[in-house]
Amino acid sequence: MAAVLRSGFWALVVLVSTSSQSSFERQLSVQLNPGWTTTSPPPGGDLLHVRAFGDNDTLHYLFCSQGAPTLLLIHTNSSSSTVQVDWPLFLARNTSGSLKVEPESSILHSTAVVFSRLLEYDDVNDTADPTSDLFPPYELQNFTWSRLNLTGDSARLCGASSSSSGVLCLQLSVFKTDGRGQTWPRLLHTANSSQLEVWIDGLLPRATRSRFLLELQAVGGAYPLSRVEVHRSIDDEYTPSIFKASHWVSAANGSSDVRSFVQWKPVAYRRSDPALEEATPCSHSEPRWQSGETTAAASGLVQAFDSDLDTFGLNVSFGLAGEPFYNSTKFLSWTVLVGVGSPPVDSFSPLVVAIMAVGLGTPVVLLLLGGLWVCLSKKAADSTTAYEPIN
Ligand SMILES: *[C@@H]1O[C@H](CO)[C@@H](O)[C@H](O)[C@H]1NC(C)=O
Ligand SMILES: *[C@@H]1O[C@H](CO)[C@@H](O)[C@H](O)[C@H]1NC(C)=O
Ligand SMILES: *[C@@H]1O[C@H](CO)[C@@H](O)[C@H](O)[C@H]1NC(C)=O
Ligand SMILES: *[C@@H]1O[C@H](CO)[C@@H](O)[C@H](O)[C@H]1NC(C)=O
Ligand SMILES: *[C@@H]1O[C@H](CO)[C@@H](O)[C@H](O)[C@H]1NC(C)=O
Ligand SMILES: *[C@@H]1O[C@H](CO)[C@@H](O)[C@H](O)[C@H]1NC(C)=O
Ligand SMILES: *[C@@H]1O[C@H](CO)[C@@H](O)[C@H](O)[C@H]1NC(C)=O
Ligand SMILES: *[C@@H]1O[C@H](CO)[C@@H](O)[C@H](O)[C@H]1NC(C)=O
Ligand SMILES: *[C@@H]1O[C@H](CO)[C@@H](O)[C@H](O)[C@H]1NC(C)=O
Ligand SMILES: *[C@@H]1O[C@H](CO)[C@@H](O)[C@H](O)[C@H]1NC(C)=O
């Protein structure tokens, strides 16, 4: 009986959670280098502006490679807010306020995610301890970045270091509505989030046993992203072998106070078209308060947007002890979601519910059928005995 109740409960949970998934939709408009009038591209890198507007609000996504690659997300309470760029000041990269949202009073909040550095260390003893044997870091602000390649609903940016071959690329996708990524880790997304896939391809390792770290900085106004919550699940259907999701959120209490988030699953892939063997676990360091000035100096977008520079940084480390080294494929890819509101959480899929219902329900059905059979045969036996005297 308990099992029936349990599977019924899970079915109910799923029904409730799937029905509560809104079909909320946003309209997208994409603009490359808004307000730039010259035919040649701006020196130093492109600026992409995606407006995602709903009935009463707008999400402005700004993605730029002036300096370290940065995604700036500004949430306004108006569906007609606009972004203004003062290009000469923006390109000088020494003042704030060269990128503005009008009207300024419509800004609910903003968060910038800066991909600041790629670190490499020699894991001689295969301990995956990134504190020793570090090579000089790759400062991503010093990479040479390609123009933004806009294809379909995504934008791709690749950068190369002057001291090594190979590339580091980022691909931004902004979503109109709910859905799930096509490739592993198949993150669930909403109309209030965007996805960034980061990969390094062909970068020459400086040691046979090299492993990599990626340093991220989150610059946020009143609600800085100061902690990472790890959510566990028993369902790995969409991301095989991964039962966790990390949510980098602000410290304000209660989920309704989570103004923006960065979310990822602790897995990277060693091939662009991976099989399960090419999944490699990741770990992250605790967010640390950083000087916002350093981040502003590295990122043109952070410098340009007049915002509070409260910054927290963390490192994502690819590969645990015993995992193959970077040298094995010379490729690593990792995916994050950046959005506003609460991070989307995987619910049980109908397939898993069906499996649970069958697994938990079958013994109960057998038990009931067995009981019924016993009753019926007893009854039959009773009726046989009842007729016996007549014979
Ligand atoms: C949007 O605005 C309309 C009218 O201005 C209002 O009826 C509606 O409730 C608002 N929607 C949200 C989600 O706030
Ligand atoms: C910013 O840099 C430009 C030239 O690169 C210079 O003319 C200007 O005075 C600088 N402004 C500030 C506030 O430092
Ligand atoms: C939101 O919209 C209202 C009305 O347009 C405005 O008065 C208010 O300042 C806006 N900003 C915030 C942060 O609520
Ligand atoms: C690696 O192991 C050797 C021998 O145990 C030790 O001397 C060395 O310090 C270790 N290196 C690192 C980076 O831990
Ligand atoms: C990266 O660029 C910054 C600013 O231009 C410079 O100060 C720094 O030395 C450069 N770092 C490397 C490793 O080239
Ligand atoms: C742009 O990206 C697409 C795939 O997204 C790729 O096929 C194409 O070669 C890229 N174009 C350039 C100029 O890099
Ligand atoms: C996305 O944002 C809109 C407007 O703030 C809100 O009505 C909607 O519920 C949000 N959707 C999700 C899935 O968080
Ligand atoms: C790893 O690197 C070493 C030298 O750095 C090279 O000899 C070896 O072939 C590399 N292994 C693979 C699988 O590429
Ligand atoms: C969150 O709640 C805890 C206790 O429940 C409290 O100690 C902490 O100060 C609160 N933090 C904020 C930012 O309100
Ligand atoms: C990332 O790791 C490097 C090397 O251990 C360290 O110097 C740096 O401070 C770390 N960054 C953050 C934000 O913790």
Side-chain angles (χ1 to χ4, degrees):
M1 202 56 207
V4 171
L5 286 180
R6 226 176 316 161
S7 52
F9 169 72
W10 284 122
L12 197 71
V13 166
V14 168
L15 282 180
V16 169
S17 55
T18 41
S19 61
S20 71
Q21 240 166 42
S22 62
S23 54
F24 177 75
E25 208 174 310
R26 289 183 183 277
Q27 307 293 315
L28 299 184
S29 87
V30 179
Q31 218 182 352
L32 192 60
N33 303 317
W36 179 258
T37 48
T38 322
T39 46
S40 60
D46 284 321
L47 171 65
L48 178 74
H49 177 209
V50 181
R51 285 179 66 198
F53 44 98
D55 292 337
N56 301 335
D57 71 337
T58 307
L59 292 171
H60 295 277
Y61 295 94
L62 292 142
F63 187 44
C64 185
S65 60
Q66 297 266 348
T70 304
L71 176 66
L72 170 63
L73 174 50
I74 305 165
H75 192 195
T76 69
N77 74 355
S78 150
S79 56
S80 56
S81 56
T82 58
V83 165
Q84 310 289 338
V85 184
D86 181 334
W87 279 97
L89 278 181
F90 185 73
L91 294 176
R93 287 179 54 187
N94 57 6
T95 47
S96 68
S98 59
L99 187 144
K100 283 200 181 91
V101 168
E102 306 278 1
E104 212 175 320
S105 65
S106 70
I107 299 176
L108 295 168
H109 82 104
S110 66
T111 298
V113 179
V114 182
F115 294 83
S116 48
R117 296 195 293 174
L118 180 70
L119 299 121
E120 180 182 358
Y121 65 99
D122 187 3
D123 193 7
V124 260
N125 294 340
D126 197 6
T127 52
D129 171 18
T131 52
S132 57
D133 289 310
L134 278 156
F135 291 106
Y138 292 106
E139 302 281 347
L140 297 187
Q141 58 173 312
N142 296 3
F143 271 37
T144 309
W145 295 98
S146 69
R147 293 215 59 193
L148 268 172
N149 178 354
L150 300 176
T151 27
D153 51 4
S154 59
R156 181 182 291 190
L157 182 68
C158 288
S161 156
S162 55
S163 61
S164 174
S165 60
V167 287
L168 183 147
C169 297
L170 298 105
Q171 181 160 309
L172 174 74
S173 309
V174 177
F175 307 108
K176 279 184 184 152
T177 173
D178 292 349
R180 192 179 285 283
Q182 301 277 305
T183 54
W184 285 348
R186 302 207 59 200
L187 295 182
L188 189 67
H189 57 246
T190 68
N192 298 340
S193 58
S194 62
Q195 181 176 291
L196 262 172
E197 187 186 348
V198 188
W199 67 94
I200 50 180
D201 189 0
L203 201 67
L204 279 184
R206 284 172 275 185
T208 316
R209 312 191 126 211
S210 276
R211 294 191 194 279
F212 283 88
L213 306 170
L214 187 63
E215 188 184 63
L216 275 66
Q217 313 279 355
V219 187
Y223 304 95
L225 305 186
S226 57
R227 71 195 164 115
V228 177
E229 292 173 351
V230 175
H231 289 245
R232 279 160 223 279
S233 158
I234 61 162
D235 183 2
D236 73 335
E237 188 187 351
Y238 295 107
T239 319
S241 82
I242 301 301
F243 296 91
K244 285 184 198 164
S246 302
H247 300 176
W248 190 10
V249 294
S250 66
N253 284 338
S255 59
S256 60
D257 282 343
V258 176
R259 302 302 171 102
S260 61
F261 64 85
V262 178
Q263 181 192 42
W264 65 87
K265 289 198 174 176
V267 62
Y269 295 96
R270 288 193 303 270
R271 284 194 198 283
S272 58
D273 188 13
L276 188 53
E277 310 83 80
E278 272 111 30
T280 194
C282 309
S283 56
H284 63 85
S285 62
E286 279 308 303
R288 274 188 13 202
W289 188 86
Q290 309 265 298
S291 158
E293 274 66 40
T294 316
T295 313
S299 160
L301 206 46
V302 170
Q303 175 69 266
F305 185 63
D306 191 9
S307 74
D308 196 332
L309 288 179
D310 230 342
T311 302
F312 282 82
L314 59 73
N315 283 326
V316 178
S317 170
F318 304 113
L320 304 179
E323 290 286 317
F325 299 100
Y326 169 76
N327 192 7
S328 67
T329 58
K330 299 194 178 64
F331 182 93
L332 271 177
S333 102
W334 181 67
T335 304
V336 286
L337 210 64
V338 181
V340 300
S342 303
V345 179
D346 274 323
S347 55
F348 291 104
S349 73
L351 177 67
V352 170
V353 172
I355 291 170
M356 284 200 295
V358 169
L360 297 172
T362 309
V364 174
V365 170
L366 288 180
L367 216 71
L368 288 178
L369 285 178
L372 205 66
W373 183 78
V374 168
C375 282
L376 286 179
S377 47
K378 197 155 176 250
K379 224 172 183 179
D382 285 352
S383 46
T384 334
T385 48
Y387 281 107
E388 249 167 12
I390 300 176
N391 280 344

